[in-house]
Amino acid sequence: MIADTTPQLLISAPAGIKRLQLLNQTSWTLGRHPSSLIQLLDNSISRHHARIEVLQDRHFFLVDLGSRNGSTVNQQLVSTPVLLKHGDRIHLGQTELFFEQSLFLPENSTADNKADIVMLHKSALQGKIWQELLLSQNLSVHWETGATDLKQDIEQRATAQQLPTILIIDVQAYSGNLVSFCRWSQQNHPDISVLLFDSTQRQIALDERQKMTALGCIDFLPAFREPKLLDNVAGVVVHLNLAARAFQDRTLRQDKLFLALRNLEDLLQSASQLPVANVPAPQPVAAAQSNGVTAPLPEDMQDMTMVTRQST
């Protein structure tokens, strides 16, 4: 049920899904040309269309290389480097790819794939902040997608005796009725603490917080104030203390917390220095002829998503 810690790229192909593990390198070029490490035979893709960059060993960014038809992540055009999160849907030309990186374990962990914390976030950056802060406290994290049925997921974890201690739910990512879910969780799994979070708001109204805490939630928190996280460390400590409260035998390690915040600021600084391509407006894929009939694909490109790995 719980996925591997290995980051992967899933490429949709006519024959099914091709999985590509993103390991042992700091960048991968995606494009139609054979020199691309990930070659995609799709005539709507540029020769060197996009690149995946890895920062600090585990943060993955998609960079468009000025491609003719553009790149999108979750239907948003990529004009600057985009931080990827688990479940992101990527389109390069007519090729669809999915990014997976769901389970995060602290260094030197001996965990058996059981997550201390399950979280659901819409914002990659806000979710990454939570992820890194929790890892700094030696907690394991499993990142779910917006398509996850949380009730079903929790029941499956209960059957496997792998219930998390905390659920951290970004209200922007949850598509169901949160009031109903919180009531259900309190009634059926009272040992799981639920912490609500809004990745788009800098302040949560008092009546909203009171409404959700009355249902048994720990609290309802606003977004972290990035990018200057260390300038707002008091708010960060409040957030993390609320999560740590669910672990009765755990004391907040502030030295590890400050190191994580410094690394996050360094990450944002490094990301800002990634090259930004001059992305043109997307052109129609497979341009139509003057008689209105779409030109056929070249014979050697009709299998549009064959993937090859070049030797290194």
Side-chain angles (χ1 to χ4, degrees), residues 44 58 66 68 76 113 116 143 154 174 195 216 226 246-247:
S44 65
R58 62 172 174 264
R68 176 169 55 94
Q76 299 296 312
N113 277 8
D116 297 307
W143 195 325
I154 292 302
Y174 188 74
L195 182 58
E226 90 292 313
F247 299 89

Side-chain angles (χ1 to χ4, degrees), residues 234-249:
V236 172
V237 170
V238 168
H239 280 51
L240 203 56
N241 264 326
L242 283 168
R245 186 183 300 172
F247 299 89
Q248 298 178 358
D249 60 345

